[in-house]
Amino acid sequence: MPYEYTCISVFLSVAVLISAAFANNLQCNTNGDYQIIPKADCMGFYICVWGSPVEMPPCPAGTRFSATVNACVHKGSDLDDCIPDSGVTATPVTTTGPLSVEERCAMFGGIIAHPTECQAYYNCSVWYQYIPRLLEQHMVECPYPQLFNADSEQCEHFENVTCGSRKEFKDACDYRQNQCAAAHCIPCNVRFGNCVGKPDGLAPHEAKLWSPFYVVCYKERAVEHNRCPQDAGGRTQLFHPVLIQCVPLEMIPQKYGGSMPA
């Protein structure tokens, strides 16, 4: 091998070893904060994510990294505060707090579980030009009563999901998409029955008592919204909230729209 190529090969090997040594010496905390560590030569920076250093692309030609503004700035400008260090000692860590959803989407993409709500998640490939009311940028919500499985990264039947510390909503009206986001909206409790605190099986629709409408409860979720059928004679039946069944008008008190005497 020619001498000049041997020298270049040795030089690159040494550079790689120095870079690896620098990365190994980085002091990242382990509390999940997003940290920025400028490179010793001012030509770029590392980020610490979950306690591990990740090397970012180098600054463009003619720029250097500024620890003051945490960005690449023009060399020699008022913001150029870098003093190159020939050693491999890590420079002080700048902590900017936990990564925001926007930052995580920009750096890593993918799907992110909502930190506090088990029915919601963030899909970095979803971008709203106009963010829907009650939602956030990139936020998606599972259809009621499904929950988001952080392991499979998809919405699943609520019995198959372990929410951990995330809030597990049982009432359909706690799902953001079911809440009224504008005027002239039919209230959620009229559109959806509530089974929280009720046993499995049939239950009255609280906003539609003494009507043909009722709900089917399962594990405190309203899994079905049904209407009483007509009787054999084609006459209307109403759902009796005490008897918990559909009955003919003869069994409904007159004050509730039936024909049974008071």
Side-chain angles (χ1 to χ4, degrees):
M1 180 181 294
Y3 173 76
E4 58 270 24
Y5 290 110
T6 301
C7 291
I8 292 174
S9 177
V10 171
F11 175 78
L12 291 176
S13 298
V14 171
V16 169
L17 290 174
I18 291 175
S19 177
F22 182 80
N24 289 334
N25 286 338
L26 293 180
Q27 300 297 315
C28 296
N29 66 38
T30 58
N31 61 9
D33 283 351
Y34 168 46
Q35 302 171 276
I36 296 176
I37 303 179
K39 287 186 176 180
D41 62 2
C42 305
M43 299 310 297
F45 62 100
Y46 295 83
I47 64 171
C48 290
V49 180
W50 307 117
S52 299
V54 179
E55 185 176 6
M56 294 291 100
C59 290
T63 66
R64 298 199 298 188
F65 188 79
S66 168
T68 300
V69 296
N70 287 332
C72 296
V73 300
H74 288 292
K75 185 176 181 179
S77 68
D78 292 339
L79 296 176
D80 183 4
D81 58 5
C82 186
I83 301 176
D85 182 358
S86 59
V88 295
T89 303
T91 53
V93 172
T94 299
T95 300
T96 59
L99 283 171
S100 68
V101 171
E102 287 291 346
E103 290 169 331
R104 292 185 64 179
C105 281
M107 289 189 289
F108 309 114
I111 294 177
I112 307 165
H114 192 284
T116 59
E117 299 179 18
C118 197
Q119 87 292 349
Y121 62 98
Y122 298 95
N123 186 338
C124 294
S125 65
V126 173
W127 188 85
Y128 301 110
Q129 182 176 5
Y130 302 103
I131 301 176
R133 292 186 65 182
L134 306 178
L135 294 183
E136 304 168 15
Q137 187 60 271
H138 307 298
M139 180 183 283
V140 183
E141 193 171 44
C142 298
Y144 177 82
Q146 293 183 9
L147 298 172
F148 180 73
N149 189 326
D151 294 327
S152 64
E153 296 187 341
Q154 61 185 8
C155 295
E156 297 183 9
H157 190 279
F158 61 86
E159 290 184 295
N160 299 330
V161 179
T162 300
C163 292
S165 61
R166 293 177 294 153
K167 179 69 175 179
E168 182 177 345
F169 293 124
K170 299 178 179 179
D171 184 358
C173 293
D174 286 327
Y175 278 52
R176 295 169 180 248
Q177 62 187 335
N178 295 332
Q179 299 172 17
C180 285
H184 310 297
C185 165
I186 299 175
C188 180
N189 69 322
V190 175
R191 290 178 285 126
F192 293 93
N194 185 356
C195 287
V196 176
K198 297 178 182 177
D200 293 351
L202 307 186
H205 192 306
E206 297 294 345
K208 299 178 180 180
L209 294 177
W210 302 103
S211 78
F213 302 99
Y214 65 95
V215 298
V216 178
C217 298
Y218 178 66
K219 292 194 173 180
E220 300 187 86
R221 275 93 167 173
V223 295
E224 291 184 27
H225 290 74
N226 293 333
R227 178 171 183 153
C228 293
Q230 293 180 331
D231 64 14
R235 295 173 299 178
T236 298
Q237 295 192 98
L238 302 184
F239 189 81
H240 199 298
V242 178
L243 300 178
I244 311 298
Q245 63 182 28
C246 295
V247 298
L249 296 180
E250 289 80 2
M251 298 179 63
I252 301 293
Q254 290 180 349
K255 63 178 180 179
Y256 295 127
S259 57
M260 186 177 75

